Structure formats: structure tokens, C-alpha cells
Amino acid sequence: MSASAPSLNEALAVLGLHGPADQAAVVRAFRMAVKAARPDLPGGDDARFRRVIAAYRLIQSQGGGRAALAGPTRRPAPLPVIGLTPYQALSGGVTTIRLGERTLRVRVPAGMRTGDHLRLRGTSPNGGDLFLPVLIRSADGLTVVGDDLHMTWPTPRRLLTDGGRVEIDTHAGVQTSWVTPGLVDPVRLRLRGLGLPARGRRRQGHLFVHLTPADDVPSAAEDLLARFTRVWTPDRMAA
């Protein structure tokens, strides 16, 4: 939105609207945009916050967006959601989204959380910026809740009953922890600092491992040894 003479279409773009919109759509878009821009929240920005409010006031002064309607009222196309896996949230990377007829490759920084908004410069129909919401979906045995990761790990029943050392194959490698005898199901371990990385005002998360009772489950070290043995059998060495 230009600083000198912002147009109604530019104001609509600031709110993430691609074209004509009715009053209800304008209000919904404003609430989402102003919440994402609040400077007291992670990912917020004071200048963007002021632009959103100014854009909304301009739209309201011209009839709540109805002046932009050039025909029958139609709902604007919904903004796409940037879907991430937990591994992408951990390490960042590149993902693709559909924006109208276009397919965009988007680089995502590490540490994004569900509910954050990612700024795509110059991608709105009027050449302005879009702020698209982020959603982290469960994948690869991991679930993200806030700053923390959650996973399950099958554990021998005898170990849960008698206590002892448990080796857990995590995204950060094999981690060793200790189980106290006599714990009541469900048993959950916290591995500090193995959740989502700190970003802005968001703290470093943890990894919570839910131990599920199972029979004859090899440890991570036993599983690694078994795989090594299968590879380096005498028959393979002879070949």
C-alpha cells in the first residue's frame, strides 16, 4: 500500500484479500491480519500493524469494501495455508504452495509454529505482500504441540515394571533415559531441548516421549546391532 495515496484495492491486499469482498469477509480478514501483526506477539511487526489498521479504516470509510464490488457479491478466494512437517519446522527448508494458478516455492525458516504467519513479498495480485498462516501437521511419528514435540516409543513391559535404562531413537539420534520402577501407564519422558528451536520470543521446546508397553521389543542399540549383523554376514563377506 503506497504511503501517499493508497487505493481501495491496495488496502484489501494488505488484509490478504485478492479482490472484491463483502463486509463480513473484510471483518474476518482484518481480525486475522491484525492478530498476526500485533507487535507484542511472536512474528508481529509494529509497522505492519499500523498498515493493517490504516487499510481497514480506509475500507470502512468507503463503505466496508462494497465500493470495490464491480458486480454480484462473491467470496474472495481463501488464502492457502503453508503446511509443514515437524522435520521442516525443526530445520526449515523449502515447500510448495498453490496461489491461484501459480505454484510457488517458499523457503521456510527453522522454528516456525502453527499459527505463525510467513511473509511472501510481492505475491499479492496488486504486487503487495501476503502473510500466509502456518500449520504443522503430524508426520514421521512426530506431533507438534506449541513449542514441543511428541512421539511414542514401544518399550518392553518388564522395563516399565522393573525400571531401567531405555534407549529412544529420536530425530536427534539415540537418546538414553531412565525409567523408575512402578510407574503407572501412561508413562511420559521429557527430553529437554529437543523440541522446536527458539525463535523470536518463543522458547526452545522439549521432546515428550510416550512409552507404550510392548513385548520383546529390541532396544535401539540391539536394533542397530541386528541391522549391522544382517549386512556383514559371512555370506556377504564371502561374496
Side-chain angles (χ1 to χ4, degrees), residues 107-217:
R107 181 166 296 279
V108 180
M112 296 292 288
R113 269 71 166 172
T114 290
D116 286 352
H117 283 70
L118 192 63
R119 181 179 187 175
L120 304 186
R121 297 180 182 274
T123 53
S124 78
N126 298 313
D129 301 340
L130 287 179
F131 296 86
L132 300 185
V134 171
L135 174 64
I136 305 174
R137 299 183 174 94
S138 300
D140 303 314
L142 289 175
T143 298
V144 176
V145 180
D147 304 319
D148 303 318
L149 294 172
H150 292 255
M151 63 173 286
T152 60
W153 184 251
T155 307
R157 296 179 186 275
R158 56 176 174 77
L159 193 150
L160 293 176
T161 301
D162 301 335
R165 187 176 70 176
V166 58
E167 295 172 314
I168 305 163
D169 192 4
T170 75
H171 65 88
V174 176
Q175 304 292 318
T176 300
S177 189
W178 291 88
V179 176
T180 304
L183 292 179
V184 178
D185 187 61
V187 178
R188 186 176 70 171
L189 303 177
R190 180 174 65 176
L191 303 182
R192 293 180 177 274
L194 295 186
L196 295 183
R199 183 173 184 270
R201 299 180 183 179
R202 303 299 291 266
R203 65 175 178 83
Q204 173 75 47
H206 308 302
L207 171 62
F208 290 90
V209 182
H210 304 257
L211 303 182
T212 58
D215 297 317
D216 300 325
V217 178

Side-chain angles (χ1 to χ4, degrees), residues 6 20-21 36 43 46 48 50 53 56 65 69 79 92 104 123 170 190 194 220 236:
D46 184 64
R48 175 157 57 95
R50 291 196 299 269
I53 294 177
Y56 182 68
L69 298 176
L79 290 175
L104 302 180
T123 53
T170 75
R190 180 174 65 176
L194 295 186
R236 289 181 179 269

Side-chain angles (χ1 to χ4, degrees), residues 1-19 51-52 54-56 58-59 62 68 124-130:
M1 195 165 69
S2 62
S4 56
S7 70
L8 185 58
N9 284 335
E10 289 175 323
L12 290 168
V14 169
L15 300 189
L17 296 170
H18 300 298
R51 286 199 302 272
V52 168
Y56 182 68
L58 174 63
I59 294 169
Q62 300 191 26
S124 78
N126 298 313
D129 301 340
L130 287 179

